[in-house]
Amino acid sequence: MPRITIDDVELEVEEGRTVLQAVDDAGLLMNGVEIPHYCWHPKLSIDGSCRLCQVEVEGMPKLQIACNTPVQDGMRIRTTTDRVKSARAGVMELLLVNHPLDCPICDQAGECKLQDYAFEYGVEGSRSREPRRALKKNVDLGPTIVFDQERCILCRRCVRFCDEIPGTHELAVMNRGDASVIETFPGQQLDNPYSMNVADICPVGALTTRDFRFKIRVWFLEDVPGVCTGCANGCNLHIGVANNKVHRYLPRRNDDVNDTWICDEGRLSYRRIGAADRLREVQVLEEDGGRRVAPYAEALSSAAARLRGLLDGKGPGVIVGIASAHATNEDLFTFRRLLDALHIETAGLVVVRGAADELLLKAERGANGAGARALGFGDGRVVVDRIRTGAVDGAIVLGHDILDAEHLGGIEALGRLDTVIALDSHQSSLQRVSHASFPVRVPAEKHGTLTNWEGRVQRVEPAVEPRWEARSEGEVLAALGAALGLEGFSEAWDPREVSRALSEAVPAFAGIELASLPPGGAPLRTPPGRKGRRAT
Ligand code: SF4
Ligand code: SF4
Ligand code: FES
């Protein structure tokens, strides 16, 4: 492998990489080795158009662009010489000649590479006396993106994204020279399932999403690492939070999961966190069919009494468990332990499915189906059939995916049961037939782990705190076990301790613990597809 030296740092790099790729591979780009860049993006083809990444290579008379210079063994590169600094300042000056002084009203301000690099590498004043180029400020590119032509620096990242990632080719550079401008092809809109990624990769404020425009200044946002729960892919996120409210999802780079992209559907799924239809109250069903809000402890003992009545009267065979792909591994491990302690053998995973694509989106619309299966929750269709045919009397139901047309298609069959205990984050008709119903937290509100479709276990942590009484499914189920008088169950439920117990009890999770999971996650010991085993 070639060895290169860059600013006195020695690197062994893969054959065929460029200087910029080699520095990025080593995790040093803008993180010890400063090579500012606009047109280069780690997941797109090389353009070499902005000229900002120039570096000095020993033995080469001219400065070279780091993004398109292949490494050679023995290469010595310098990124901080006077020639390099002067070239960068020249590029910045040219880029700023026509750039509008929009920063006070620009959504990108605070996370703009033009601001950052102008401050770090640019010149202080402008020598230009000409009027700045006036172009269109508010171009409607499609349903999700608005374009400001004046702010564009023509790095062509957005064009290459549409060509190379979704392959939809909506954008192009039209005209030539200083008349060049980004446009959609005539009669076309920028409208694909990944369209909003162009706003993330636009290094300036030229492309903004309709969803986030003018919502909040970015410096008010706290950035919490998270995982999208829209499907089984488990894309990594930056969750933007202010005042205990999620304002946006942005992709967080994970080369093993989502590169640097997320789909639009997943991006907008943050709205579900603070949605008006969140389930906010513990409720019980009265004998006359009426519903009322109840204290948590009362609902727990009522649920425990109903389950105990069924267990003592008819045995555990008449009760079933429905696991949810929206619960964490720790929640589901607690559910598994509860079912095992009650000798309830019929349990399965029920999840809604939708269309998948070839890029990221998976058919399973839940983040933790693979985790549920690794914990022994098999295909829930058997359980659904038993409910439909009236072969059971009681059900403990996590989530309301079971009501989907693909499964029960409504509440009628559940309504015939003697006892339904439901744990859910959002309102649905499930509450109408639940004898006790508990509001639970979504993954962005709790500590835990999720296992994506290919068996990567990833950590979630609370980005926001619900303003109402909501617990993790695991906490409610542990308290239910305690109310049933089961040994080893208590109201105190700590996901870190549960994760440790899970890692010891289930071989697939051996060595995987919430407290020590790396930011990019870790693979299950037994990947999905191999036979899962019951936990206890
Ligand atoms: S709109 Fe943004 S991403 Fe597209 S070419 Fe202009 S600056 Fe680059
Ligand atoms: S592909 Fe799936 S996990 Fe990724 S952002 Fe979209 S919905 Fe979320
Ligand atoms: S990043 Fe190298 S020329 Fe633009």
Side-chain angles (χ1 to χ4, degrees):
M1 299 222 306
R3 293 186 75 83
I4 62 169
T5 308
I6 184 155
D7 292 341
D8 302 324
V9 179
E10 274 204 28
L11 292 179
E12 199 172 70
V13 305
E14 215 179 290
E15 190 80 55
R17 303 297 274 169
T18 67
V19 172
L20 204 49
Q21 285 169 335
V23 176
D24 183 50
D25 292 347
L28 294 173
L29 186 56
M30 309 312 279
N31 183 28
V33 177
E34 302 283 304
I35 307 180
H37 51 278
Y38 282 127
C39 65
W40 184 82
H41 183 280
K43 301 296 172 185
L44 298 176
S45 63
I46 293 166
D47 203 58
S49 57
C50 75
R51 318 309 285 180
L52 188 61
C53 66
Q54 294 176 77
V55 292
E56 204 164 321
V57 180
E58 219 173 84
M60 292 191 178
K62 290 184 179 171
L63 295 179
Q64 303 294 311
I65 51 170
C67 66
N68 206 13
T69 303
V71 289
Q72 287 171 17
D73 195 33
M75 208 177 220
R76 301 183 72 83
I77 302 141
R78 301 234 155 253
T79 70
T80 54
T81 62
D82 288 345
R83 277 178 78 201
V84 170
K85 285 181 186 165
S86 153
R88 281 178 192 159
V91 171
M92 288 309 302
E93 188 174 13
L94 283 172
L95 284 175
L96 289 166
V97 162
N98 272 314
H99 199 80
L101 293 173
D102 271 358
C103 299
I105 50 127
C106 177
D107 256 329
Q108 191 86 353
E111 56 184 7
C112 172
K113 288 293 169 215
L114 200 67
Q115 270 186 343
D116 294 352
Y117 291 169
F119 184 74
E120 284 289 327
Y121 313 110
V123 287
E124 276 183 8
S126 169
R127 287 183 287 163
S128 163
R129 297 286 169 265
E130 312 302 320
R132 281 161 202 255
R133 194 173 58 154
L135 293 171
K136 291 182 196 157
K137 300 291 288 174
N138 204 344
V139 181
D140 182 355
L141 285 189
T144 58
I145 297 289
V146 179
F147 179 42
D148 184 318
Q149 291 181 336
E150 286 184 349
R151 295 179 191 163
C152 174
I153 59 168
L154 287 166
C155 71
R156 304 201 322 150
R157 279 182 173 192
C158 53
V159 177
R160 281 175 287 145
F161 173 83
C162 293
D163 289 348
E164 296 166 18
I165 305 301
T168 42
H169 310 284
E170 296 102 327
L171 297 177
V173 182
M174 304 295 185
N175 309 326
R176 302 179 70 179
D178 73 348
S180 301
V181 67
I182 299 287
E183 278 180 13
T184 51
F185 280 101
Q188 235 185 322
Q189 286 204 315
L190 173 58
D191 187 6
N192 68 67
Y194 291 83
S195 66
M196 284 191 260
N197 288 281
V198 297
D200 305 332
I201 58 173
C202 179
V204 294
L207 297 171
T208 48
T209 65
R210 285 186 202 285
D211 178 62
F212 186 68
R213 267 164 85 76
F214 309 132
K215 224 170 161 187
I216 188 168
R217 303 302 327 214
V218 296
W219 49 84
F220 293 126
L221 291 178
E222 187 195 345
D223 182 14
V224 182
V227 172
C228 177
T229 55
C231 82
N233 204 54
C235 295
N236 289 204
L237 301 171
H238 294 286
I239 305 181
V241 181
N243 303 321
N244 199 34
K245 182 176 173 199
V246 176
H247 289 267
R248 70 175 179 185
Y249 281 169
L250 290 184
R252 177 164 58 94
R253 183 174 175 181
N254 186 333
D255 293 349
D256 290 316
V257 178
N258 54 303
D259 288 338
T260 56
W261 321 121
I262 53 176
C263 74
D264 291 354
E265 187 181 320
R267 183 185 300 263
L268 297 180
S269 66
Y270 77 87
R271 296 172 178 169
R272 299 278 293 145
I273 297 173
D277 67 344
R278 281 296 298 271
L279 189 58
R280 290 159 204 258
E281 292 158 339
V282 179
Q283 295 178 0
V284 291
L285 193 61
E286 309 241 59
E287 288 307 322
D288 64 1
R291 307 203 48 76
R292 77 175 159 83
V293 175
Y296 176 60
E298 183 196 325
L300 268 182
S301 47
S302 154
R306 293 193 80 95
L307 286 173
R308 179 55 67 201
L310 274 181
L311 289 163
D312 293 347
K314 298 188 174 179
V318 298
I319 305 176
V320 295
I322 301 292
S324 162
H326 305 290
T328 62
N329 292 314
E330 292 69 25
D331 295 323
L332 294 173
F333 180 59
T334 307
F335 193 26
R336 181 81 268 168
R337 282 187 56 233
L338 177 71
L339 296 172
D340 288 351
L342 295 172
H343 307 289
I344 296 171
E345 290 187 352
T346 311
L349 168 70
V350 172
V351 58
V352 169
R353 295 176 67 83
D357 66 24
E358 287 178 0
L359 195 49
L360 299 174
L361 191 67
K362 302 290 177 287
E364 209 166 85
R365 295 295 200 262
N368 200 28
R373 284 185 281 272
L375 287 163
F377 291 100
D379 188 342
R381 275 178 293 191
V382 182
V383 192
V384 171
D385 282 346
R386 290 199 64 192
I387 295 173
R388 191 184 287 119
T389 55
V392 297
D393 293 299
I396 307 173
V397 185
L398 272 52
H400 60 263
D401 282 6
I402 193 166
L403 304 183
D404 189 70
E406 194 185 340
H407 303 297
L408 281 180
I411 53 169
E412 200 190 332
L414 282 170
R416 291 195 293 264
L417 302 193
D418 172 83
T419 298
V420 177
I421 313 297
L423 286 70
D424 206 353
S425 56
H426 289 77
Q427 294 170 23
S428 71
S429 49
L430 181 60
Q431 281 85 53
R432 299 219 314 262
V433 292
S434 302
H435 299 88
S437 145
F438 298 90
V440 297
R441 293 174 178 239
V442 294
E445 296 166 342
K446 62 187 174 186
H447 288 286
T449 59
L450 301 166
T451 310
N452 84 345
W453 68 286
E454 56 178 356
R456 177 161 291 270
V457 183
Q458 308 191 95
R459 189 174 58 200
V460 291
E461 60 185 86
V464 287
E465 180 63 26
R467 293 196 166 94
W468 57 92
E469 193 182 17
R471 296 169 172 79
S472 294
E473 288 91 330
E475 186 177 350
V476 178
L477 295 166
L480 184 58
L484 281 158
L486 299 174
E487 201 180 318
F489 287 83
S490 89
E491 292 220 357
W493 187 84
D494 180 347
R496 290 174 203 82
E497 279 173 23
V498 177
S499 173
R500 196 170 314 124
L502 164 59
S503 136
E504 283 164 11
V506 184
F509 286 87
I512 298 174
E513 269 192 47
L514 175 56
S516 55
L517 258 186
L524 278 180
R525 295 287 170 259
T526 321
R530 298 206 199 143
K531 199 167 167 19
R533 65 174 286 279
R534 286 171 66 95
T536 49

